[in-house]
Amino acid sequence: MKTETVKKKTGMYENVMKQFNHAADVMNLDEGVRKILSSTNNEIVVHFPVKLDNGKIEVFTGYRVQHNNALGPYKGGLRYHPTVDIDAARALAIWMTWKTALAGLPYGGGKGGIEIDPKKYSISELERITRRFTYALGENIGPDHDIPAPDVNTNAQIMAWISDFFVSTKAPGMRHTNLHVVTGKPVGSGGLAGRDRATGFGVVATIKSWAALKNKEIKGKSYIVQGFGNVGYWAAHFMNKLGAKMTAVQDASATIFNEDGIDPEELLAYAKANGGAIKGFPNAEEMNSKDFYGVDCDIAIPAALGNQITLENVDTIKASLIAEGANGPTDVAAEAKLLIRGIDVIPDILCNGGGVIGSYYEWLQNKRAENWKIDHVLSLLEEKLEASFENTVNAAKEYNTDWRTAAYIVALKRLEVTYKERGVFP
Ligand code: GLU
C-alpha cells in the first residue's frame, strides 16, 4: 500500500513550493501575504459511482483544489490521469494562480481532475463519468466562481458535457448566463475560435520573443517535443510554420526520431488513426525513451507531464532553450544545473499561459454573447504574451535573477498589492 502511494506521487507540490519560497525571498514578499499564498483556500475531494458498459459499478475519485481567488474566480483545468492526486491538484492549482496573475487576468488559480486512465473506458463511459463528476462538484464550480478548462487527457468534448450538465441543472432562463462555467468548449457550444491551439500557439509566441531578445532566427532550428497531445501538436504546427524542424517526439507509447525532420501534420494523421499513439510512425525510427532529452537539438519543448527534466537526464540535454509547454516539467535541482550551463528556460507560467489567456477571451465572448474571429483572438493572444515576456525579462534584470523567479515576482507583486489595498477580512 505504502509503495503504491509513493509511486503515485509526482512531487510537483514540493517543486512549486520551492519555486514560490525562493521568489518570495528574492522579492521580500510581505510576510502575511506569503502565509496566505502558502496554503490553498479549498480542497474538494469527491467519490462518485458510475455504471460501466458491462453493468458493473465503479467508484471514481475526483479533485478540485481552489488555491487563491484574490484577483478573481478560480481558474484552471481538469486532468484525467492516473497521477492525479491531492498533491498534484494542489501544485497545479498553485501554478494557475501565478499564471493568471502574471498574464494580468482577473482570475485566481484552481485545478482538479479524476484519478483515472481514460484509455480504459469507452466514450459513453467517459461521458457518464464526466457528467457524474460535474454533479459531484455541484456549486463548487460556477461561471463567476470557479471555471474549469481542458488539461491533460481532457478536451472540448468533455467541456461540452460539463457545460451541458451544469446549465441543465439551472432554470431555463439561466442557460446562457451559465455557459461559461467551463472554457475550452467546442465552437458550436459557445467555445472560442482558436482556443484549441491557444496553448501551443502561445508556446511558440514566447519562443519568438526569446529569439527576438537573443537575436536568433527560428528558421532552420531543430526542436524536440515531449507529449503529442493538444499542446505538443499545436506547438509543432506553429514551429514548422516558422521553418523549424522537429527531430524527435515522445509520448506514452514511444520515442521517435528522424534527423531530417518529422512532419507534425503527418504524425497527427497517423496518431489519430492509431488510438492517439505515435508508436509505429513509418517516417521515423523508434529510440530508447531514456535518451529523449539527450537528442541533439536547439530547442526542447516538454509538453506532457510534470517532473520530466530531473537530475537523471539534465546533464544530457543539448538544447539551448527549454520552452515549458507542460506545467512543472523541470524540477528545481535540474533547473539550477541548466542555469549554470547557460541554457535558457521559458518557465511554464509564462510559456504555456496562452491556454488560460484564450480561456479568458472565451469567457468574455460568452459573457458578452458574442462570436470572436480567430485572427482577432490570435493577435490578442500574441500581444498579451509579448507583454508578459517583457515584464518577466524586466523583472529578471531588476532583481538580477532567472526568468522563472522573475515571472513569479511579477505575479506575486500583483497579489501583494491586492492584499495590501484591500486588507484581510474582518
Ligand atoms: N489547463 C490549462 C493550463 O494549465 C488551461 C487552463 C484554463 O484555460 O483555465 O493552463
Side-chain angles (χ1 to χ4, degrees):
M1 188 68 196
K2 197 167 174 235
T3 3
E4 203 202 353
T5 319
V6 172
K7 219 168 67 193
K8 258 181 7 186
K9 296 255 183 269
T10 55
M12 287 193 289
Y13 178 68
E14 206 188 323
N15 210 35
V16 71
M17 290 312 290
K18 278 188 195 158
Q19 294 171 348
F20 166 65
N21 282 315
H22 176 64
D25 287 344
V26 172
M27 72 180 284
N28 199 15
L29 179 68
D30 175 89
E31 200 192 330
V33 175
R34 184 174 179 142
K35 275 190 201 159
I36 294 169
L37 296 174
S38 292
S39 66
T40 54
N41 286 359
N42 307 306
E43 300 187 345
I44 302 138
V45 183
V46 294
H47 304 286
F48 54 95
V50 177
K51 197 187 237 183
L52 301 184
D53 293 346
N54 64 9
K56 290 203 172 139
I57 303 285
E58 195 166 322
V59 175
F60 295 88
T61 303
Y63 301 87
R64 186 71 184 171
V65 171
Q66 299 169 331
H67 171 236
N68 187 277
N69 63 348
L71 296 171
Y74 303 105
K75 185 86 192 80
L78 290 174
R79 160 178 304 206
Y80 287 3
H81 199 270
T83 57
V84 172
D85 61 9
I86 193 68
D87 271 26
R90 262 183 209 141
L92 292 159
I94 297 171
W95 272 313
M96 285 311 302
T97 303
W98 316 147
K99 202 183 295 185
T100 54
L102 171 66
L105 303 177
Y107 288 141
K111 195 72 145 225
I114 307 177
E115 186 187 344
I116 184 180
D117 180 356
K119 286 195 289 296
K120 295 190 178 146
Y121 299 89
S122 70
I123 296 287
S124 67
E125 286 172 335
L126 283 176
E127 176 173 354
R128 293 199 295 283
I129 292 166
T130 300
R131 289 182 187 272
R132 194 64 205 231
F133 179 39
T134 312
Y135 170 77
L137 289 174
E139 295 299 319
N140 289 302
I141 58 170
D144 292 303
H145 171 48
D146 184 356
I147 308 134
D151 198 84
V152 174
N153 289 341
T154 54
N155 54 23
Q157 176 62 78
I158 287 175
M159 297 306 117
W161 290 328
I162 296 176
S163 159
D164 181 64
F165 179 84
F166 193 83
V167 300
S168 301
T169 61
K170 303 288 173 288
M174 303 296 281
R175 260 190 98 83
H176 290 284
T177 50
N178 280 284
L179 199 61
H180 48 300
V181 60
V182 282
T183 55
K185 300 178 288 294
V187 173
S189 304
L192 179 79
R195 175 60 186 87
D196 55 354
R197 65 209 67 187
T199 313
F201 176 84
V203 167
V204 177
T206 63
I207 296 175
K208 273 163 83 178
S209 293
W210 166 84
L213 181 79
K214 301 269 164 164
N215 249 325
K216 290 185 197 262
E217 281 272 335
I218 296 182
K219 196 169 176 196
K221 292 269 181 299
S222 60
Y223 67 96
I224 61 174
V225 179
Q226 185 184 42
F228 204 66
N230 176 271
V231 182
Y233 161 69
W234 282 110
H237 170 89
F238 288 109
M239 284 299 279
N240 270 44
K241 269 191 147 183
L242 295 175
K245 182 174 75 173
M246 177 164 78
T247 51
V249 186
Q250 177 169 73
D251 77 354
S253 72
T255 303
I256 59 172
F257 172 77
N258 184 344
E259 208 179 347
D260 299 327
I262 297 168
D263 179 44
E265 314 309 322
E266 266 180 34
L267 185 60
L268 180 72
Y270 175 83
K272 270 191 180 162
N274 192 33
I278 62 169
K279 191 176 176 66
F281 180 64
N283 298 333
E285 279 166 41
E286 189 162 343
M287 58 177 275
N288 192 326
S289 66
K290 283 208 175 74
D291 301 331
F292 173 74
Y293 277 108
V295 169
D296 197 8
C297 65
D298 299 303
I299 300 168
I301 306 178
L305 296 171
N307 281 350
Q308 299 300 305
I309 300 177
T310 64
L311 289 181
E312 269 176 38
N313 58 13
V314 68
D315 292 332
T316 69
I317 288 181
K318 309 278 186 311
S320 54
L321 172 69
I322 312 286
E324 294 185 335
N327 291 308
T330 313
D331 80 12
V332 168
E335 183 165 15
K337 288 198 147 195
L338 291 174
L339 296 175
I340 290 171
R341 286 176 56 200
I343 298 173
D344 289 327
V345 179
I346 307 178
D348 47 8
I349 59 170
L350 169 63
C351 190
N352 70 39
V356 73
I357 297 171
S359 281
Y360 168 60
Y361 295 131
E362 180 171 329
W363 190 70
L364 284 186
Q365 173 188 267
N366 293 157
K367 268 178 171 293
R368 297 176 185 173
E370 291 176 352
N371 281 314
W372 294 16
K373 297 255 186 304
I374 191 164
D375 291 348
H376 177 55
V377 170
L378 296 181
S379 73
L380 286 176
L381 259 172
E382 190 150 25
E383 241 172 65
K384 245 200 178 328
L385 283 162
E386 278 169 10
S388 294
F389 192 93
E390 199 183 321
N391 291 339
T392 301
V393 169
N394 289 343
K397 276 193 205 127
E398 187 184 337
Y399 287 88
N400 190 22
T401 190
D402 60 278
W403 288 349
R404 187 184 314 279
T405 307
Y408 266 66
I409 291 174
V410 176
L412 292 173
K413 279 202 164 168
R414 237 188 119 209
L415 286 149
E416 187 178 49
V417 166
T418 292
Y419 277 110
K420 281 197 176 154
E421 285 171 357
R422 300 189 327 203
V424 171
F425 170 82

